[in-house]
Amino acid sequence: MNMSSRKRIVAANWKMNLTVGESELLATEMRSVLTTMPRHCEVVLAPSFPALERLVKAVAGLDSVQIAAQDCAPAIRGAHTGEVSSLVLSELGVQKVIIGHSERRINNKEDHLTLKKKVDVALETGLDIIFCCGETTQQRKEGIHMQIIEQQLKDSLLHLTDTQLASVAIAYEPVWAIGTGLTPTSEQIEEMHGYLRALLNRTSAKVGPTLSLLYGGSCNASNAASIFALENVDGGLIGGASLKADEFMRILNSLPQ
Ligand code: 13P
């Protein structure tokens, strides 16, 4: 499969770092670059829930920009106090949702079954998914990182039909690289992305080769170009370095043309 058939995606996960006003201001500051992104690149901004509606408005008319939620509930409706349904996200004009981020797996004890339910309801309500996977330091030390990643995908994602799978991008985010300033070597990133690509190709010979694989974890303006140049890396999921317009814009400009 030709590289150019895979969509390049750079997603900003703002986590819980910005107020609604700050989120809106940041999107506005980025508008100049966002208006000129080439068609094969997709930029995704993921603010916290209360900022979503204003962000949808802030990027209206920018074809290659999408707004994502950082999470959704594992059910569409019901007695789930404090949860946010993907149906409501869809209603607001949100197009994507991040599912399986390690901060939620660890801090909120989200297990594989919960993540599988989130994947199913997100797709049922018309959202695309950025599905995160990643191993801990200990798991890498033990040399079981490949198995861990494969299991995370098998448990929550690979039950999907081809049509459903086509709405998913996968972000490999080693837990030990998130917010630490530590990045895996290029060889380690490509090894994992190549492994993921082979797994997806085995799962679906039709859709596997077309899925976008993102890297996340201390990706910044200095290392983005070398990471994005790797054969099986189609973009990034960026945390800290997406909080400043000029740095995030430099990351966007690091995408191969
Ligand atoms: P950092 O870029 O801050 O390491 O965060 C990565 C991340 O968790 C994105 O989802």
Side-chain angles (χ1 to χ4, degrees), residues 112-123:
H112 300 311
L113 189 61
T114 304
L115 297 179
K116 188 178 183 188
K117 286 186 194 154
K118 290 186 181 203
V119 163
D120 290 340
V121 297
L123 292 171

Side-chain angles (χ1 to χ4, degrees), residues 89-151:
L89 298 172
S90 226
E91 184 187 17
L92 293 181
V94 170
Q95 291 130 310
K96 273 190 168 50
V97 59
I98 299 172
I99 295 177
H101 195 284
S102 61
E103 285 155 14
R104 295 206 60 86
R105 288 179 191 261
I106 296 166
N107 303 341
N108 300 73
K109 316 239 174 328
E110 293 192 353
D111 60 16
H112 300 311
L113 189 61
T114 304
L115 297 179
K116 188 178 183 188
K117 286 186 194 154
K118 290 186 181 203
V119 163
D120 290 340
V121 297
L123 292 171
E124 198 181 325
T125 51
L127 296 181
D128 290 346
I129 293 171
I130 298 178
F131 185 84
C132 302
C133 57
E135 82 284 359
T136 61
T137 314
Q138 186 58 29
Q139 289 162 340
R140 184 162 274 269
K141 273 195 194 135
E142 289 171 22
I144 56 168
H145 42 290
M146 301 298 197
Q147 291 101 294
I148 293 292
I149 300 307
E150 179 163 347
Q151 204 56 49

Side-chain angles (χ1 to χ4, degrees), residues 207-229:
V207 177
T210 69
L211 298 182
S212 301
L213 298 183
L214 317 184
Y215 169 76
S218 298
C219 184
N220 55 44
S222 311
N223 59 24
S226 60
I227 294 174
F228 295 166

Side-chain angles (χ1 to χ4, degrees), residues 13 15 101 103 173 177-180 216-219 237-241:
N13 179 5
K15 307 190 181 184
H101 195 284
E103 285 155 14
E173 298 204 305
I178 296 178
T180 57
S218 298
C219 184
L237 179 54
I238 320 295

